[in-house]
């Protein structure tokens, strides 16, 4: 006799950064556990507060946030593993254990791709071999060890004048005033800020004794120095490379439609244009924001995309109305060490306006934002009660009978 038992709809979320962890937790609070099998894949056992990696690098201790505690009782199954391949035509994901062990293939019905981004060397010779990154915990810990071993007067060069570079340079200079910290920026220091914001940033870098090299590009990184495009050699016992981010390369290796940057091209609901059972969120997605401009890679962009994707998936599975939402920017929050900060207010499409908050109050504001972001990961519905709805047969991406051949092995 044919078995018409309905199997659970398999949702796999790849990556447990801010976006992936929020999406998984929010889906768990939107869908009934008896209807879905929800798996979150990440190589780390603890949530990593990426916005605090510059703090970790200078020796500050961060509060541990174990996923086992965060997702206890939610129905989210955490798989500690590295993603090694994705086959979107067969609807499978290949993972390798975080420790030694054989690779395994997991099948899915809906995939949420949130593998995020890492540092971007831009192909500059010597960067991968000699520079340090703070795009994740492993890099921040390596930099932490290296900085701890430096003696007084050792030169540290931070390459990149954007948000990450500014935060790294000021954090290092404040924590280690005995070091000679330099910041290398392609343009003017803080050229994306308002005049008030630029003045405050320059004031803080001057007070911290940071040497700023403006309108300067680095063409080569060596063990003890960096070379600029005009041939100048800058001594560097440590080089910290913060010149942009690059997305995880796995998406580009699939048949997903991706952009020149390797991001997955999505519609307004974060659904892949080429594969409707795949959603991309955070840095991994090429999503359009206000002014028809791509959203920048940031926590400010990623968190709303996680909300949107999770609510959209839940609505499509339960036969509900797909929510309409758009990401708009309000401010850019910049820490300048522990006692100084800069909150630059911006337009909806992320252009600086005249208003900016500076000083100690801005530092407190940024700290509250960081704490709020971490709280939001553990509370993905922002404190509102869970409303788990049943999956409806026949809706887009709904569960299939157990007798129906799955496109890949079940997880």
């Amino acid at each position: 006799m044919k078995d018409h038992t309905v199997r659970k709809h398999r949702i796999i979320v790849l990556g447990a950064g801010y976006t992936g962890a929020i999406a998984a937790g929010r889906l768990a609070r939107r869908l009934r556990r008896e209807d879905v099998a929800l798996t979150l894949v990440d190589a780390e056992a603890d949530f990593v507060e990426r916005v605090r990696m510059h703090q970790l690098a200078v020796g500050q201790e961060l509060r541990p946030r174990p996923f086992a505690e965060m997702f206890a009782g939610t129905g989210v199954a955490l798989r500690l593993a590295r993603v090694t391949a994705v086959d979107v035509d067969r609807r499978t994901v290949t993972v390798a254990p975080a420790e030694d062990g054989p690779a395994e293939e997991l099948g899915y019905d809906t995939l949420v791709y949130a593998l995020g981004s890492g540092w971007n060397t831009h192909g500059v010779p010597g960067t991968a071999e000699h520079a340090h990154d703070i795009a994740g915990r492993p890099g921040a810990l390596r930099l932490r060890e290296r900085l701890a071993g430096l003696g007084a007067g050792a030169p540290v060069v931070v390459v990149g004048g954007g948000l990450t570079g500014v935060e790294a340079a000021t954090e290092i200079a404040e924590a280690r005033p005995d070091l000679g910290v330099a910041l290398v920026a392609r343009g003017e220091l803080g050229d994306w800020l308002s005049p008030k914001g630029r003045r405050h940033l320059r004031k803080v870098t001057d007070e911290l004794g940071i040497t700023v090299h403006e309108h300067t590009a680095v063409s080569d990184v060596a063990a003890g120095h960096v070379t600029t495009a005009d041939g100048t050699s800058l001594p560097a016992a440590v080089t910290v490379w913060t010149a942009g981010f690059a997305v995880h390369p796995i998406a580009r290796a699939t048949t997903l439609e991706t952009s020149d940057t390797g991001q997955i091209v999505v519609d307004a609901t974060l659904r892949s244009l080429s594969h409707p059972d795949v959603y991309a969120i955070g840095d991994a997605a090429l999503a359009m924001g206000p002014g028809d401009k791509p959203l920048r890679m940031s926590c400010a962009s990623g968190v709303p995309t996680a909300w949107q994707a999770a609510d959209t998936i839940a609505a499509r599975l339960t036969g509900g109305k797909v929510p309409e939402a758009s990401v708009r920017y309000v401010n850019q929050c910049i820490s300048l060490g522990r006692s100084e900060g800069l909150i630059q207010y911006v337009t909806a499409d992320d252009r600086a306006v005249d208003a900016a908050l500076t000083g100690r109050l801005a530092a407190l504001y940024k700290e509250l934002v960081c704490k709020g972001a971490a709280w939001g990961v553990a509370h993905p519905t922002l404190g509102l009660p869970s409303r788990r709805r049943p999956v409806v047969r026949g809706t887009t991406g709904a569960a299939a009978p157990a007798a129906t051949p799955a496109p890949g092995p079940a997880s």
Side-chain angles (χ1 to χ4, degrees):
M1 182 179 292
K2 195 172 183 178
D3 183 4
H4 290 283
T5 302
V6 177
R7 67 164 169 81
K8 291 184 177 182
H9 184 89
R10 300 165 301 171
I11 303 175
I12 294 181
V13 181
L14 302 182
Y18 288 97
T19 59
I22 287 174
R26 198 169 175 99
L27 282 166
R29 289 163 175 80
R30 296 282 189 254
L31 300 168
R32 294 196 315 179
R33 297 177 196 173
E34 55 264 44
D35 293 338
V36 296
L38 181 55
T39 303
L40 177 62
V41 181
D42 198 271
E44 297 267 3
D46 293 350
F47 174 67
V48 177
E49 292 187 81
R50 188 172 179 180
V51 296
R52 293 190 187 274
M53 289 300 97
H54 53 284
Q55 295 176 240
L56 183 62
V58 298
Q60 297 170 32
E61 295 300 329
L62 304 183
R63 172 188 167 187
R65 300 178 185 274
F67 285 127
E69 295 180 9
M70 186 179 295
F71 292 111
T74 65
V76 175
L78 180 65
R79 178 65 66 91
L80 293 180
R82 295 177 293 104
V83 180
T84 59
V86 175
D87 188 330
V88 292
D89 299 313
R90 293 179 55 240
R91 291 193 291 177
T92 61
V93 175
T94 304
V95 300
E99 304 296 334
D100 291 336
E104 184 179 356
E105 198 173 73
L106 310 176
Y108 66 82
D109 299 302
T110 298
L111 180 69
V112 181
Y113 187 104
L115 290 180
S117 62
W119 69 333
N120 189 351
T121 66
H122 297 286
V124 174
T127 302
E129 296 80 6
H130 302 297
H132 291 263
D133 78 282
I134 53 172
R137 179 153 50 191
L141 289 174
R142 286 192 293 269
L143 176 58
R144 174 179 182 156
E145 183 179 2
R146 184 72 182 97
L147 290 173
L150 294 180
V156 175
V157 174
V158 178
V159 181
L163 292 172
T164 306
V166 165
E167 291 194 328
T170 52
E171 198 75 49
I172 294 170
E174 181 187 78
R176 291 291 305 275
D178 58 316
L179 301 177
V181 179
L183 176 64
V184 178
R186 275 185 170 272
E188 179 187 349
L189 178 64
D191 55 10
W192 76 94
L193 299 169
S194 65
K196 179 180 179 180
R198 290 197 297 272
R199 287 194 300 270
H200 185 69
L201 177 56
R202 193 170 295 277
K203 169 181 172 290
V204 173
T205 55
D206 287 347
E207 289 175 347
L208 291 173
I210 298 171
T211 301
V212 180
H213 301 274
E214 298 176 282
H215 307 289
T216 302
V218 170
S219 59
D220 184 84
V221 179
H225 67 275
V226 301
T227 304
T228 65
D230 64 2
T232 302
S233 179
L234 303 177
V238 172
T239 299
V240 184
W241 190 270
T242 68
F245 297 103
V247 297
H248 199 290
I250 283 182
R252 197 191 290 266
T254 70
T255 57
L256 286 163
E257 182 180 347
T258 58
S259 67
D260 292 341
T261 61
Q263 292 170 294
I264 299 170
V265 183
V266 297
D267 64 16
T269 67
L270 287 309
R271 196 180 205 176
S272 163
L273 294 186
S274 60
H275 292 74
D277 48 8
V278 176
Y279 292 75
I281 56 178
D283 292 355
L286 181 65
M288 306 308 290
D292 204 29
K293 293 167 56 177
L295 297 177
R296 64 179 164 90
M297 294 185 185
S298 65
C299 184
S301 305
V303 169
T305 65
W307 294 337
Q308 173 70 36
D311 290 353
T312 296
I313 293 168
R316 285 179 171 144
L317 288 176
T318 61
K321 181 180 178 181
V322 174
E324 295 182 5
S326 60
V327 177
R328 63 149 292 149
Y329 296 102
V330 177
N331 53 42
Q332 294 179 7
C333 304
I334 310 166
S335 64
L336 304 174
R338 295 300 87 206
S339 59
E340 279 281 0
L342 170 59
I343 309 302
Q344 175 63 65
Y345 295 98
V346 298
T347 60
D349 62 349
D350 210 28
R351 291 174 291 114
V353 298
D354 291 339
L357 183 67
T358 62
R360 181 67 182 174
L361 186 59
L364 177 60
Y365 186 115
K366 173 63 187 288
E367 178 62 20
L368 291 175
V369 167
C370 291
K371 288 181 176 179
W375 180 87
V377 173
H379 302 82
T381 56
L382 304 181
L384 297 175
S386 299
R387 299 183 64 186
R388 296 184 176 90
R389 301 181 184 278
V391 170
V392 178
R393 296 280 303 278
T395 55
T396 302
T404 302
S411 60

